[in-house]
């Protein structure tokens, strides 16, 4: 295939719509390879008293991140005949790529910005990945990853904006249908949007899916207002938590299709929610993993009478000393 043809094919794949059938296919493809993470029915402290919730314990996934679902699905569906994988990541996507590549006997190179947390880089190494530092931002690392993949003839993965990645993450939604009676709203942290988009694609209009973002990094919120993806954020804790300064095109498409709103919470509320999870349940999650709970505890999301919302706890790769 000539270079222009490969580029056109990549654009077509990148823009392809993701729906429930893609998520169901991802579940069939990855069954037995991925953990079906449990749910926990409990109550948490809210602004005016106890709030019944169902916690989806996705932080118990292999690698401590939901991202391994989408990465594995992408590798299993790829037609590229190569034993090398390249990805740019500030953290969890790199861990997921390293782990999934190791399962399938492929070499993995992760290009990380200089600000990548040591805890996450160490996890990449532990799964056998080559880690290369490049640039100070994810965007700079991503450009270098593209160049590197072309030089090596490697398969390049995207952390959140590939159809197979979104579909794989969406299996969380299918699991929730099996695990939780009724159709309660599902609150999901938003970084690049792969998880919230996948769950919304899986559930469609059967259940309300709600995105939750830090006020300093409102990527989905800003995209919905602008009706296009836009860069957001600046230096600060938000960058460390969720990484992406622009939501994915796929996530924006699905959010518009299924009316997925974005709620904003402060970094302080997210930190308090993470501390609460540790103090009350001995659950250890990273800041991003506590974002959805922060919406309930801060009052950004108020459940209807008799409602027990689902809160997805999505990542466990954190420095324990920060708790």
């Amino acid at each position: 295939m000539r270079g222009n043809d490969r580029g056109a094919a990549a654009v077509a794949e990148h823009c392809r719509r993701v729906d429930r059938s893609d998520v169901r296919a991802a579940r069939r493809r990855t069954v037995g390879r991925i953990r079906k993470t449990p749910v926990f029915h409990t109550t948490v402290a809210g602004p005016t008293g106890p709030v019944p919730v169902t916690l989806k314990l996705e932080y118990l996934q292999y690698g401590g991140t939901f991202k391994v679902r989408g990465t594995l699905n992408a590798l299993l569906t790829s037609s590229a005949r190569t034993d090398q994988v390249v990805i740019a990541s500030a953290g969890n996507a790199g861990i997921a790529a390293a782990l999934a590549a190791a399962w399938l006997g492929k070499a993995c190179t992760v290009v990380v910005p200089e600000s990548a947390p040591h805890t996450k880089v160490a996890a990449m190494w532990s799964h056998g990945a080559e880690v290369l530092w490049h640039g100070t931002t994810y965007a700079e690392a991503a450009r270098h990853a593209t160049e590197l993949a072309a030089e090596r003839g490697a398969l390049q993965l995207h952390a959140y904006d590939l159809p197979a990645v979104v579909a794989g993450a969406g299996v969380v939604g299918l699991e929730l249908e099996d695990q939780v009676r009724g159709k309660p709203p599902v609150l999901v942290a938003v970084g690049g949007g792969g998880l919230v988009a996948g769950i919304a694609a899986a559930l469609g209009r059967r259940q309300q899916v709600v995105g939750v973002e830090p006020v300093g990094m409102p990527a989905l919120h800003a995209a919905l207002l602008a009706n296009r993806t836009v860069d957001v954020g600046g230096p600060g804790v938000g960058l460390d938590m969720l990484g992406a300064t622009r939501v994915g095109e796929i996530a924006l498409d699905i959010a518009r299709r299924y009316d997925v709103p974005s709620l904003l919470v402060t970094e302080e509320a997210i930190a308090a929610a993470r501390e609460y999870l540790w103090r009350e349940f001995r659950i250890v999650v990273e800041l991003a993993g506590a974002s959805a709970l922060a919406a309930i505890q801060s009052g950004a999301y108020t459940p209807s009478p008799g409602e027990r919302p689902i809160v997805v706890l999505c990542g466990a790769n954190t420095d324990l000393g920060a708790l």
Side-chain angles (χ1 to χ4, degrees):
M1 184 180 289
R2 292 176 299 179
N4 289 343
D5 293 334
R6 283 196 299 269
V11 170
E13 171 64 9
H14 175 79
C15 297
R16 188 176 65 78
R17 173 168 285 201
V18 178
D19 56 30
R20 183 176 171 89
S21 65
D22 296 302
V23 181
R24 289 168 65 92
R27 178 167 63 176
R28 291 191 297 270
R29 197 174 290 119
T30 59
V31 67
R33 298 174 181 261
I34 294 296
R35 289 176 180 147
K36 182 176 182 178
T37 53
V39 296
F40 174 38
H41 306 294
T42 187
T43 60
V44 298
T48 60
V51 178
V53 298
T54 296
L55 303 179
K56 174 64 166 168
L57 308 184
E58 183 60 17
Y59 69 93
L60 295 175
Q61 189 53 257
Y62 290 114
T65 173
F66 73 91
K67 288 181 178 287
V68 73
R69 295 176 180 268
T71 302
L72 179 61
N73 188 50
L75 291 179
L76 291 173
T77 58
S78 174
S79 59
R81 297 184 179 278
T82 177
D83 290 328
Q84 296 188 66
V85 175
V86 173
I87 188 170
S89 171
N92 284 341
I95 295 170
L99 186 57
W103 288 343
L104 300 179
K106 296 180 182 291
C108 178
T109 298
V110 185
V111 182
V112 303
E114 294 169 4
S115 58
H118 177 74
T119 300
K120 296 187 177 184
V121 171
M124 298 173 203
W125 279 331
S126 73
H127 298 304
E130 174 190 26
V131 179
L132 302 178
W133 282 264
H134 186 88
T136 58
T137 66
Y138 171 77
E140 290 173 336
R143 286 193 290 272
H144 185 62
T146 298
E147 296 168 355
L148 193 64
E151 291 172 5
R152 296 183 177 182
L155 170 64
Q156 184 180 5
L157 295 177
H158 194 281
Y160 53 84
D161 205 22
L162 284 177
V165 168
V166 173
V171 177
V172 172
L174 299 183
E175 290 180 5
L176 288 172
E177 284 186 318
D178 296 337
Q179 295 170 314
V180 182
R181 292 183 179 180
K183 301 183 184 299
V186 184
L187 276 63
V188 188
V190 179
L195 181 59
V196 72
I199 293 176
L203 300 178
R205 296 191 179 277
R206 300 168 182 81
Q207 257 169 283
Q208 178 66 62
V209 177
V210 178
V212 183
E213 304 180 273
V215 293
M217 294 290 288
L220 178 58
H221 191 86
L224 290 170
L225 288 176
N227 203 32
R228 61 184 178 85
T229 61
V230 293
D231 287 317
V232 298
V237 68
L239 283 171
D240 296 333
M241 285 193 294
L242 295 173
T245 59
R246 179 185 289 250
V247 78
E249 297 282 354
I250 298 171
L252 178 58
D253 170 66
I254 291 173
R256 289 187 296 203
R257 199 188 327 160
Y258 296 120
D259 298 321
V260 176
S262 166
L263 303 181
L264 302 182
V265 293
T266 66
E267 282 82 4
E268 292 78 11
I270 296 172
R274 179 172 73 159
E275 182 182 354
Y276 177 86
L277 285 168
W278 169 245
R279 184 176 68 249
E280 296 297 324
F281 303 109
R282 288 301 186 257
I283 288 175
V284 179
V285 295
E286 56 199 80
L287 286 167
S291 299
L293 179 61
I296 290 177
Q297 294 197 301
S298 68
Y301 180 85
T302 303
S304 301
E307 177 186 291
R308 181 187 289 272
I310 298 170
V311 175
V312 180
L313 304 179
C314 57
N317 294 298
T318 189
D319 181 358
L320 295 178
L323 290 170

